[in-house]
Amino acid sequence: MTQTATQLTPSAQEEITTALNQCLSETVVTTMLAQNFHWNVKGMAFGPLHALFQEIYEDHFAGQDDLAERVRALDMHAEGQLAKMLDRSKVAEADGLQTDREMIELLATAQETVSKTLAGLGELAAGHGDTLTEDLAIERGRTHDKFAWMLRSHLQ
């Protein structure tokens, strides 16, 4: 049965919020990773990579807001402390000193990591009848899969 945010049990809200905050944390770290690479990329593919990295971080910045607002719609707390996000995230920071190829590989792996976390969120939300969170997870996951494909295409 489909549940709106206010119809979910408190334990369902807590579980879904924990998963949403995990996705939010990984999205924030991946956003900064893309922005860092945007600032620091060098090489023969500078132009297209500079533009692609910008497209990614701009998309992810909007995605952060969507995830955080869903947490708030569940009447829960959206994590906003960077240190806690870094601790929670399965995506690691990078210093921006990588080669363009290494940047692509790191960012593609980050996209795949976030996509997998979002898939788990979608399954969890579906299990609780929270189709709105499930839909958000599917939408964001599809976006991260697309960026992973676009990045990996540069490596072939």
Side-chain angles (χ1 to χ4, degrees):
M1 170 187 266
T2 299
Q3 303 286 319
T4 63
T6 58
Q7 293 172 316
L8 292 167
T9 66
S11 66
Q13 286 177 315
E14 185 68 37
E15 285 181 57
I16 292 167
T17 297
T18 298
L20 276 162
N21 275 319
Q22 180 69 40
C23 294
L24 177 58
S25 294
E26 291 176 11
T27 301
V28 167
V29 175
T30 303
T31 303
M32 194 62 228
L33 193 65
Q35 192 163 34
N36 186 359
F37 292 167
H38 167 80
W39 293 332
N40 291 298
V41 68
K42 299 185 273 189
M44 292 299 294
F46 168 81
L49 288 177
H50 185 74
L52 178 57
F53 294 159
Q54 181 173 350
E55 180 183 354
I56 291 170
Y57 77 70
E58 287 176 348
D59 168 83
H60 292 11
F61 187 77
Q64 293 173 40
D65 201 46
D66 292 339
L67 292 164
E69 287 179 354
R70 185 62 192 155
V71 171
R72 294 299 302 136
L74 293 170
D75 199 30
M76 302 296 281
H77 177 75
E79 181 60 62
Q81 293 180 294
L82 295 176
K84 287 184 179 181
M85 290 179 172
L86 284 167
D87 285 344
R88 178 181 290 157
S89 178
K90 294 178 223 157
V91 176
E93 290 183 292
D95 58 16
L97 299 174
Q98 294 74 20
T99 66
D100 54 354
R101 184 174 186 85
E102 291 168 334
M103 289 177 177
I104 293 166
E105 289 169 351
L106 286 169
L107 196 50
T109 299
Q111 297 299 325
E112 292 163 355
T113 298
V114 179
S115 181
K116 184 176 179 180
T117 302
L118 284 158
L121 168 63
E123 290 173 9
L124 176 68
H128 287 292
D130 182 359
T131 56
L132 298 177
T133 299
E134 179 187 16
D135 182 62
L136 174 60
I138 291 168
E139 177 189 340
R140 291 300 313 151
R142 189 173 16 252
T143 298
H144 288 279
D145 275 355
K146 179 181 175 182
F147 282 131
W149 155 67
M150 293 172 77
L151 288 159
R152 294 249 182 252
S153 292
H154 283 271
L155 300 174
Q156 297 175 353

